[in-house]
Amino acid sequence: MTMHWSPKSPFVRKVMLAAHELGLDGEIDRVRTVTTMLRPNPDLLPDNPLSKIPTLVLPDGSPLYDSLTICEYFDHLAGGGILFPAPGPDRWAQLLWHSLGDGLLDMVILWRNEREKDPGIQFDVWLDAFATKTALSLDRLEEYAPAMAAATFGIGHIAVGCCLSYLDFRFANLNWRTGRPELAAWHETFSARPSAQATAVVDA
């Protein structure tokens, strides 16, 4: 398998972390692929018309994208039911945590794009909305943290952990741990996992 990959992408990190958890990381050939919102990558477009990473190319040449789809495919290759529990309360909890972590990650990337603009063309109403939604999402994750700590590691943990680590990487001044001791403790445990350490984001 071949993956269009970047060491800075939190969504790429999600799938690589899943691959490490499932013992599949050695089966993936990584191709460094640069993508931006404004410049589609001509080398990526044949595999993914959205020009987004991660994109996985299977041995038969067929592609898979986005990160959730690739993670579920890896889970299937490893036997199934590992990161994605069978239908039932455990699965719905994992998918809920994944949706919140992934949605928050999408939003803070948009927030970063907006704050990187020249001040004269920034939309203050957007910046305020991003800040409000981020704070409320983190508060909700603080409520979920005890249940996440008690649950078997799965796709929800991966999404939330990668999102919080991205906040450390790009939003250090946000101090998201303040007032959220349960979430901070959970993230410390997440960060100590071998899969998390092997896939830490690198600014390169």
Side-chain angles (χ1 to χ4, degrees), residues 65-77:
Y65 42 85
D66 60 5
S67 61
L68 181 64
T69 301
I70 297 171
C71 286
E72 188 163 9
Y73 177 71
F74 286 166
D75 193 73
H76 164 73
L77 289 183

Side-chain angles (χ1 to χ4, degrees), residues 6-11 13 32-36 53 104-116 127 134 138 161-177 187 200-204:
S6 166
K8 293 189 285 189
S9 166
F11 293 105
R13 188 188 185 200
R32 179 68 183 270
T33 304
V34 177
T35 61
T36 69
I53 54 176
L104 178 56
L105 186 52
D106 273 329
M107 186 170 60
V108 296
I109 289 173
L110 291 174
W111 187 4
R112 177 174 180 261
N113 289 340
E114 185 64 21
R115 74 175 186 177
E116 294 299 310
L127 295 173
T134 297
L138 289 167
C162 288
C163 178
L164 296 177
S165 296
Y166 182 79
L167 290 178
D168 286 337
F169 181 53
R170 294 297 193 192
F171 288 81
N173 62 342
L174 194 62
N175 297 317
W176 64 263
R177 292 172 177 81
H187 184 254
V201 172
V202 178
D203 192 3

Side-chain angles (χ1 to χ4, degrees), residues 77-99:
L77 289 183
I82 303 168
L83 299 178
F84 293 79
D90 291 343
R91 182 180 182 87
W92 313 141
Q94 288 289 342
L95 292 180
L96 172 65
W97 301 334
H98 176 275
S99 294

Side-chain angles (χ1 to χ4, degrees), residues 114-196:
E114 185 64 21
R115 74 175 186 177
E116 294 299 310
K117 295 178 180 178
D118 292 335
I121 60 173
Q122 290 177 350
F123 285 95
D124 290 340
V125 65
W126 287 8
L127 295 173
D128 291 344
F130 291 146
T132 297
K133 292 178 182 181
T134 297
L136 292 174
S137 297
L138 289 167
D139 289 344
R140 186 62 56 87
L141 288 171
E142 171 71 8
E143 296 174 12
Y144 291 156
M148 290 195 298
T152 300
F153 192 81
I155 190 60
H157 299 90
I158 291 174
V160 172
C162 288
C163 178
L164 296 177
S165 296
Y166 182 79
L167 290 178
D168 286 337
F169 181 53
R170 294 297 193 192
F171 288 81
N173 62 342
L174 194 62
N175 297 317
W176 64 263
R177 292 172 177 81
T178 301
R180 302 182 184 99
E182 298 280 356
L183 189 59
W186 177 84
H187 184 254
E188 184 175 357
T189 300
F190 165 84
S191 299
R193 296 182 74 88
S195 59

Side-chain angles (χ1 to χ4, degrees), residues 21-35:
E21 288 284 339
L22 297 166
L24 298 172
D25 51 293
E27 300 182 25
I28 302 168
D29 293 325
R30 297 177 297 176
V31 176
R32 179 68 183 270
T33 304
V34 177
T35 61

